[in-house]
Amino acid sequence: MTTPTHSALEVKPDWLRRLWERMTASYGHAWVSANGVTPQRDDGSLTIAGQTWATVIADLDGNQVAAGLKACVLSGREFPPKPGQFRLLCLGDPSEAEVLAELNAVNTQRSPFARLVWQRIDSYAWRHATPERREAMVRTAYAWATEYRSHGGRLPPDPVAEIGVDAPAPKVFTPEVANAEIDRIAAMLAGQAVGGAQ
């Protein structure tokens, strides 16, 4: 991911101001003490926190930023997200708990983010893991995936199609057919035994 230039950071001053207002309304002192009262200095230039947050939202559209803000409000968390965490909320990536539930579900379509997490999990170890071990596996893979996404990493494409194997229909034998087959095999084996003794 390329770092936006200074002019790119200044493209969305209204977005930053609104972001600050919403975060201050949602988190109060916790937001202000971590990021300041405003993203801009008196001369109009961005503070360090303002530059950081501008970088995080520079390539996002208004709907994505709105989705991130909505996710913050709905999370009910006491403390504001860090910039990278907010970016993930804007991108709509599921939580660690949601990914764990997706990966534990059988025969379900997985989200692109869950498939990204799955790429970092040993499927053999997963099948034989306890629930606690599965949680630890997801935690590690989720941390990697969120880091990857925060640096602009893309989600894997949707699978083109599932590979299916057409199993042959089982043969159904009536008792008469089964007995005839047993007699045929017995005669064949008796002939080999006689032939082998010669």
Side-chain angles (χ1 to χ4, degrees):
M1 180 173 138
T2 58
T3 305
T5 62
H6 185 65
S7 60
L9 296 177
E10 294 178 353
V11 170
K12 303 172 185 170
D14 286 345
W15 285 23
L16 275 178
R17 183 179 48 76
R18 289 187 194 131
L19 175 72
W20 244 254
E21 290 170 355
R22 300 285 183 186
M23 292 296 208
T24 301
S26 297
Y27 298 105
H29 178 71
W31 171 263
V32 173
S33 67
N35 298 286
V37 175
T38 178
Q40 295 175 304
R41 295 184 184 93
D42 292 339
D43 65 1
S45 64
L46 295 175
T47 63
I48 292 173
Q51 289 173 4
T52 302
W53 282 89
T55 301
V56 165
I57 66 170
D59 62 340
L60 301 176
D61 63 35
N63 290 333
Q64 290 173 312
V65 174
L69 288 167
K70 181 178 179 181
C72 286
V73 171
L74 295 178
S75 74
R77 293 190 176 169
E78 183 178 354
F79 296 101
K82 293 182 167 102
Q85 293 169 331
F86 180 74
R87 181 177 175 79
L88 294 176
L89 294 173
C90 292
L91 294 173
D93 292 340
S95 69
E96 186 178 314
E98 290 169 326
V99 169
L100 178 63
E102 276 189 62
L103 296 182
N104 276 325
V106 179
N107 297 328
T108 59
Q109 181 78 18
R110 291 182 176 153
S111 68
F113 191 81
R115 290 196 312 273
L116 178 65
V117 170
W118 183 250
Q119 290 176 0
R120 304 295 287 193
I121 293 176
D122 178 342
S123 60
Y124 178 82
W126 178 267
R127 283 192 307 274
H128 297 90
T130 64
E132 294 79 18
R133 178 70 186 125
R134 284 185 174 192
E135 283 183 33
M137 293 167 78
V138 168
R139 188 175 309 113
T140 301
Y142 187 89
W144 171 85
T146 54
E147 182 71 17
Y148 171 78
R149 290 281 285 154
S150 70
H151 291 292
R154 300 206 180 274
L155 294 172
D158 288 335
V160 176
E162 289 189 26
I163 299 173
V165 177
D166 293 332
K171 293 182 181 181
V172 179
F173 293 105
T174 62
E176 295 80 23
V177 172
N179 287 333
E181 187 66 14
I182 291 170
D183 290 344
R184 186 187 69 78
I185 293 171
M188 186 175 69
L189 290 174
Q192 281 183 352
V194 172
Q198 293 175 347

